């Protein structure tokens, strides 16, 4: 879920948080041998520019997608907040959407969506012609209840749909005035009639909207790559009925396929077992920050040879007589975003991939101020000064290894977690040109760090191929280590610096887009309250 606060610049009034759910109907089919693979990107206007706020997941081979990933936006009643929803057919693995087929867009205001609650509009092409029969539906809901339901679900004896097995997944739906609205979609468990899904969380708001008597619908499907998923069966139950189960005695619900009811011998298409459905109160990102949690930023700068000779104006590390280069621009811009969240304003800054005097050995985590005992720089001004003094003294070299600096920060995060409090969260900010050498070790390090109070923000400097960075920012599926171990959560956010053309507001939104949810979801998952919990109101 894209859960960052999309705030209006300069807004001082109280905002209402609004959650947007997106679905589309009758999209254009751009693929020859299959259906389109749609994704919806949300853009927000800052007046002169549109910046990307977030994206839904991509759904394979589907012309009528219901997206599970939602957008959470701050709504200011007194302001006109212009939004643009763009739908694309994803044809490759690149982050850039300009090389994907455009399926249509809708421009509107957040006020229009909120006033309608559910709004369906025609999708338009760039020339304002209709995008075939394609439409987009946006549902808005105010966020007032922060409680979450934590689920552990399995199934047994599901119908086999292909020879000897099925590839089942579940969809949970909320009952609304206009029909059933998708609340959550699990992952696919392949080759199993007795699947066990990974534990997951759904907000009560998304499940039943505060009405405890409302039924929740659960559909079980057999996954097909071509998008024509087969319904195995369904059931409906209230949250109270689902909450009755335990690991020793799960709440069990027969999975019924209505098309098979005519068969007198038909009993069911399997049984869904809910071992855990526990409602818990949640603290927000602001609850933790205002309650005493310290956000610790560490900055890592790429000093490898792929950045170019610093004596050349084409180098990203160009030693410019006028005092700036692209790395400096990124340090200033991103630094000014993050420093407001670090109360000490003291940043440890490391370089990697350079030969360091006097031995001229290659180091992958050297302090930019050359002081191992105290690698801290005072404010962003201190970071800039240390960088400018360091650059002429080192030789850009290689290889480009991310894992040492990730493991370095992870050590501190691990120590903080052992204190069993929500007093510290660590953020590693990596500025790089995108080339990476130790991909396997980096994947392993990120998977390990995903279980710690730690996030990684990668800022891509320059215009090189950032496909490796996009791979690490695993929004659609959890990153796997080389041994196949899955990350506990997505902790990497990739931001291509050049995309923002000096727009500091848009850059700030993108850099911090995923951090609030990463912080709050981690501490809530570990049941850790804000340190000064007496200063924070109890979640509703």
């Amino acid at each position: 879920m894209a859960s960052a606060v999309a705030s209006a610049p300069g807004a001082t009034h109280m905002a209402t948080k609004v959650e947007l759910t997106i679905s589309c109907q009758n999209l254009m089919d751009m693929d020859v041998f299959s259906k389109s693979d749609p994704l919806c990107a949300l853009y927000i206007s800052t007046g002169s520019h549109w910046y990307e706020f977030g994206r839904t997941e991509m759904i394979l081979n589907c012309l009528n997608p219901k997206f599970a990933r939602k957008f959470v936006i701050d709504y200011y009643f007194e302001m006109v907040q212009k939004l643009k929803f763009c739908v694309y057919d994803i044809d490759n693995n690149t982050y850039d959407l300009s090389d994907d087929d455009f399926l249509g867009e809708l421009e509107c205001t957040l006020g229009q969506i909120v006033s309608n609650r559910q709004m369906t509009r025609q999708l338009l092409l760039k020339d304002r012609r209709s995008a075939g029969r394609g439409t987009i539906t946006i549902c808005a809901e105010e966020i007032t209840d922060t409680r979450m339901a934590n689920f552990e679900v399995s199934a047994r004896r599901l119908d086999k749909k292909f020879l000897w097995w099925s590839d089942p997944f579940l969809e949970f739906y909320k009952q609304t005035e206009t029909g059933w609205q998708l609340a959550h979609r699990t992952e696919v468990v392949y080759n199993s009639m007795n699947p066990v899904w990974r534990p997951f969380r759904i907000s009560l708001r998304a499940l039943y909207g505060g009405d405890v008597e409302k039924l929740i619908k659960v559909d079980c499907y057999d996954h097909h790559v071509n998008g024509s998923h087969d319904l195995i069966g369904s059931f409906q139950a209230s949250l109270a009925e689902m909450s009755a189960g335990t690991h020793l005695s799960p709440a069990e619900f027969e999975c019924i396929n209505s098309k098979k009811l005519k068969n007198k011998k038909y009993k069911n298409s399997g049984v869904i077992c809910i071992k855990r459905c526990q409602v818990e109160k949640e603290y927000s990102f602001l609850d933790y920050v205002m309650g005493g949690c310290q956000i610790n930023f560490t900055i890592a700068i790429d000093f490898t040879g792929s950045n170019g000779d610093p004596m050349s104006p084409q180098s990203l590390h160009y030693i410019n007589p006028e005092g700036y280069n692209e790395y400096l621009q990124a340090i200033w811009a991103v630094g000014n975003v993050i420093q407001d969240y670090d109360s000490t304003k003291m940043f440890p800054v490391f370089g990697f991939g350079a030969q360091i005097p006097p031995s001229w050995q290659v180091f992958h985590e050297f302090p930019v101020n050359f002081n191992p005992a105290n690698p801290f720089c005072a404010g962003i001004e201190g970071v800039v000064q240390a960088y400018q003094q360091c650059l002429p003294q080192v030789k850009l070299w290689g290889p480009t290894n991310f894992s040492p600096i990730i493991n370095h920060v992870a050590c501190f995060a691990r120590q903080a977690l052992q204190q069993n409090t929500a007093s510290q969260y660590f953020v590693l900010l990596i500025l790089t040109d995108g080339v990476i050498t130790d991909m396997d070790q980096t994947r392993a390090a990120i998977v390990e760090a995903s279980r710690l109070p730690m996030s990684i923000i990668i800022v891509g400097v320059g215009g090189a191929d950032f496909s490796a960075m996009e791979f690490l920012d695993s929004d659609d599926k959890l990153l796997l280590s080389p041994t196949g171990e899955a990350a506990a959560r997505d902790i990497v956010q990739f931001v291509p610096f050049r995309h923002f053309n000096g727009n500091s507001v848009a850059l700030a939104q993108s850099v911090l887009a995923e951090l609030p949810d990463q912080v709050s979801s981690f501490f809530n998952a570990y049941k850790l309250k804000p340190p000064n919990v007496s200063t924070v109101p109890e979640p509703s």
Side-chain angles (χ1 to χ4, degrees), residues 114-131:
V114 169
S115 61
N116 283 280
R117 293 187 62 187
Q118 177 171 311
M119 187 174 84
T120 300
R121 295 289 186 273
Q122 183 78 38
L123 286 168
L124 301 178
L125 299 173
K126 298 293 185 183
D127 60 7
R128 316 321 293 165
R129 290 184 298 117
S130 295

Side-chain angles (χ1 to χ4, degrees), residues 206-500:
L207 264 183
Y208 67 84
D211 184 350
V212 294
E213 300 301 323
K214 277 188 177 178
L215 292 176
I216 299 161
K217 181 164 75 96
V218 180
D219 290 343
C220 182
Y221 286 95
D222 176 36
H223 180 268
H224 288 193
V225 174
N226 65 7
S228 58
H229 310 306
D230 278 342
L231 179 68
I232 295 175
S234 303
F235 72 89
Q236 296 181 20
S238 68
L239 190 68
E241 291 172 317
M242 293 183 180
S243 301
T246 65
H247 280 267
L248 293 177
S249 179
E252 297 188 346
F253 303 92
E254 287 188 307
C255 209
I256 302 298
N257 190 322
S258 58
K259 292 182 179 179
K260 296 185 177 183
L261 287 174
K262 295 178 182 178
N263 186 338
K264 293 182 179 179
K265 294 184 179 180
Y266 177 74
K267 184 178 180 182
N268 60 53
S269 294
V271 176
I272 305 296
C273 309
I274 299 184
K275 307 173 190 175
R276 180 176 181 238
C277 174
Q278 184 175 357
V279 175
E280 295 179 347
K281 294 181 178 180
E282 287 250 310
Y283 289 96
S284 70
F285 172 67
L286 287 181
D287 288 336
Y288 283 106
V289 172
M290 295 171 70
C293 179
Q294 170 66 38
I295 308 296
N296 301 290
F297 284 91
T298 298
I299 300 174
I301 303 173
D302 183 344
F303 283 96
T304 56
S306 57
N307 287 282
D309 182 357
M311 302 309 295
S312 166
Q314 283 72 46
S315 173
L316 299 172
H317 279 301
Y318 176 45
I319 303 176
N320 191 334
E322 298 182 13
Y324 66 88
N325 59 36
E326 195 151 350
Y327 269 90
L328 272 174
Q329 290 175 333
I331 291 171
W332 273 117
V334 179
N336 281 320
V337 171
I338 66 172
Q339 69 175 351
D340 288 342
Y341 290 91
D342 193 315
S343 60
T344 67
K345 304 292 190 291
M346 296 295 292
F347 302 102
V349 184
F350 296 89
F352 58 92
Q355 290 182 330
I356 306 301
S359 66
W360 298 109
Q361 289 181 314
V362 176
F363 284 82
H364 299 294
E365 46 168 316
F366 64 90
V368 170
N369 64 2
F370 298 109
N371 185 351
N374 184 16
F376 292 86
C377 299
I380 297 307
E381 294 83 357
V383 175
V384 168
Q385 184 179 15
Y387 166 79
Q388 289 177 318
Q389 293 175 352
C390 169
L391 187 57
Q393 301 183 58
V394 302
K395 292 180 182 178
L396 305 195
W397 210 255
T400 309
N401 292 348
F402 281 14
S403 59
I405 188 63
I406 294 174
N407 290 327
H408 174 90
V409 176
C411 285
F412 292 95
R414 191 172 292 107
Q415 292 171 11
L417 184 60
Q418 290 171 354
Q419 297 172 9
N420 205 33
T421 67
S423 58
Q424 295 191 81
Y425 194 92
F426 293 82
V427 181
L428 172 60
L429 176 66
I430 302 176
L431 289 88
T432 178
D433 71 343
V435 178
I436 183 170
T437 308
D438 66 334
M439 178 58 87
D440 283 354
Q441 294 90 333
T442 294
R443 287 165 56 194
I446 291 173
V447 169
E448 181 70 21
S450 71
R451 293 166 176 80
L452 302 172
M454 177 175 168
S455 293
I456 301 170
I457 300 171
I458 302 175
V459 177
V461 180
D465 178 10
F466 289 119
S467 57
M469 305 301 101
E470 293 154 5
F471 173 77
L472 296 176
D473 184 1
S474 50
D475 282 339
D476 285 332
K477 56 184 178 180
L478 291 173
L479 185 70
L480 299 178
S481 74
T483 61
E485 181 184 6
R489 58 198 180 102
D490 174 22
I491 64 169
V492 178
Q493 167 80 343
F494 169 66
V495 180
F497 181 69
R498 279 191 181 178
H499 283 196
F500 295 93

